[in-house]
Amino acid sequence: MQAQLIALDWGTSSLRAYKLGPAGTVLEQRSLAWGIMHLPNEPRDIAGVRCSDGFELAFDAACGDWLDAEPGLPVIACGMVGSAQGWSEAAYRNTPVDVASLGQALHKVRSLRGVDVHIVPGVIEQVGLPNVMRGEETQVLGVLQGLGTDALIGLPGSHSKWVEVVDGCIIHFDTFMTGELFAVLSKHSLLGRTQQHSAQFQADAFDRGVQVALSKDGQRGVLSTLFSARTLGLTAELSPEQQPDYLSGLLIGHELAGLPGSARHKPIILVGAAPLCARYQRALALCGFAHVSLAQEATERGLWQLAVASGLTQPVLEA
C-alpha cells in the first residue's frame, strides 16, 4: 500500500512518527525519546550538511529513511513542536474554534532536507484564567470523526484536559495538573517516604481515595485531604503498597469533582494510555458519570483529517 503522509505527534518527552496510507491507514509507526525537552545533540550529516540542530536531528531520525524512499511525502506535525520552545512557533487559535478549520492554519517550517513540516496550531481560551493546549486539539478532531453528538472529551495525563465540544467546535476546556502533581508528591514530598510500589493495582485503596475526594472532607479541597495519604498510613489503615493508589484516586477524584454538573448528562470519551484511562473510567463510575467510552488512535486520525482539510493529501473517493 502506497504511503500518502508522514504524521508526527511531537510532544515534550517523546516523538511518535506514523507513515500513513489511503484513508489514514497506519503503514508503519515508531516512537523515539526525542521530545522537545530532550533532543539529540551529536552532530551528523543531513542532506549533505553537517548538522547539530536537535530538531533537525530528531526529525531525520524519525522519518529520514521514509523520505529517502519516497521524497515527495508531505509531513504534518502536532504538539509542543509548535510551542515557543519548539522547532517553530505556531500561533494559538482562540476558542470557540472549529477543530477541522485548524487544517487551514498550518504553520510551515522548512527542514534541511528541503521538506516543509506543517505544524498544527494550538488552541487558547482567554475567558477568565487563560488556558492552552497543543496536541490535544488534534486528538479531539480524531475523536469527533464519525461522532454525531456533543461530548465531553477527557485526555488524562500529566496535565489532564477536559474539552467541551459542541457542533464540532471546542467551546471550553479545563486543565488539571493531576499527573504531574502525583509524580512530584510521590518522588519529592513527605508522602512518598512511606509509599511502596506494588505491581498489583490496589483497587480498594484507589476507590477510597476517590470517595474521600467526593466526601464532606473533600469539600475542604485537595490541600486538606492530601495529608490523609500519610495519616492513613500512620494509623495502619493503608499499607505502604496501598498508599500510591490511594493518592492516585484522591487526586483523580478531586479532578472529577471539578467538572461541571452538566457533564453528567453528556457522553464522555476518554483518550490516552489504556491503564490510565481505566483508572479514570473506574473513578467516573464512582462519581456517577454514565456513558463513558474509550477512543483509540485519535492522534493519527486527527492528523490525517487535518492533512486532508489542508490539501496535503487526498480523501478516499467513494466509487
Side-chain angles (χ1 to χ4, degrees):
M1 191 178 293
Q2 186 175 6
Q4 294 189 3
L5 180 72
I6 292 174
L8 306 177
D9 176 13
W10 202 337
T12 302
S13 59
S14 67
L15 166 56
R16 294 181 177 87
Y18 305 90
K19 183 164 64 173
L20 303 181
T25 302
V26 178
L27 304 179
E28 191 176 344
Q29 67 183 70
R30 52 183 61 149
S31 181
L32 297 85
W34 303 129
I36 70 160
M37 301 304 290
H38 181 62
L39 294 165
N41 54 22
E42 185 174 341
R44 68 171 183 273
D45 290 342
I46 299 175
V49 177
R50 194 67 173 171
C51 176
S52 59
D53 180 271
F55 288 101
E56 293 280 4
L57 294 169
F59 176 64
D60 189 67
C63 57
D65 58 333
W66 294 344
L67 291 167
D68 286 339
E70 300 180 73
L73 284 177
V75 181
I76 189 170
C78 70
M80 289 297 287
V81 66
S83 70
Q85 296 76 39
W87 195 351
S88 185
E89 187 171 8
Y92 290 112
R93 300 295 297 273
N94 280 284
T95 57
V97 60
D98 181 339
V99 281
S101 73
L102 296 176
Q104 305 299 320
L106 302 182
H107 173 76
K108 291 193 295 187
V109 56
R110 177 62 65 94
S111 70
L112 271 179
R113 287 177 161 272
V115 175
D116 286 331
V117 179
H118 299 80
I119 301 176
V120 181
V123 174
I124 186 169
E125 182 172 345
Q126 300 191 74
V127 178
L129 293 174
N131 216 334
V132 297
M133 65 169 71
R134 285 198 186 273
E136 292 90 353
E137 73 295 319
T138 302
Q139 293 176 301
V140 166
L141 180 59
V143 170
L144 292 179
Q145 184 181 1
L147 184 68
T149 184
D150 303 339
L152 183 66
I153 300 175
L155 302 109
S158 295
H159 300 163
S160 297
K161 305 283 186 186
W162 287 91
V163 185
E164 189 174 355
V165 178
V166 175
D167 294 330
C169 291
I170 295 175
I171 63 168
H172 173 73
F173 62 98
D174 294 298
T175 302
F176 296 84
M177 293 181 62
T178 308
E180 183 171 349
L181 183 58
F182 176 82
V184 169
L185 291 171
S186 296
K187 297 175 183 177
H188 305 292
S189 83
L190 184 66
L191 300 183
R193 298 288 182 89
T194 56
Q195 291 183 3
Q196 186 171 321
H197 175 74
S198 171
Q200 300 296 321
F201 175 52
Q202 304 293 317
D204 290 344
F206 177 85
D207 292 353
R208 184 173 185 177
V210 175
Q211 289 160 349
V212 167
L214 301 176
S215 69
K216 184 177 179 180
D217 289 328
Q219 293 176 10
R220 296 200 300 269
V222 66
L223 293 179
S224 173
T225 58
L226 274 176
F227 198 55
S228 66
R230 174 170 172 79
T231 57
L232 289 173
L234 292 174
T235 55
E237 293 186 56
L238 288 176
S239 69
E241 293 82 6
Q242 290 177 313
Q243 291 171 32
D245 284 318
Y246 171 81
L247 178 60
S248 172
L250 184 68
L251 292 173
I252 291 174
H254 276 290
E255 176 183 329
L256 299 183
L259 297 181
S262 60
R264 297 182 184 276
H265 309 293
K266 290 186 176 183
I268 293 178
I269 304 169
L270 297 177
V271 183
L276 184 56
C277 283
R279 286 177 180 254
Y280 273 76
Q281 201 165 18
R282 186 182 184 96
L284 282 162
L286 290 170
C287 294
F289 289 90
H291 312 298
V292 179
S293 61
L294 305 180
Q296 304 294 328
E297 300 178 343
T299 302
E300 304 96 292
R301 291 200 306 270
L303 284 167
W304 174 261
Q305 291 297 316
L306 290 169
V308 169
S310 68
L312 288 177
T313 192
Q314 298 298 315
V316 174
L317 299 177
E318 296 183 4

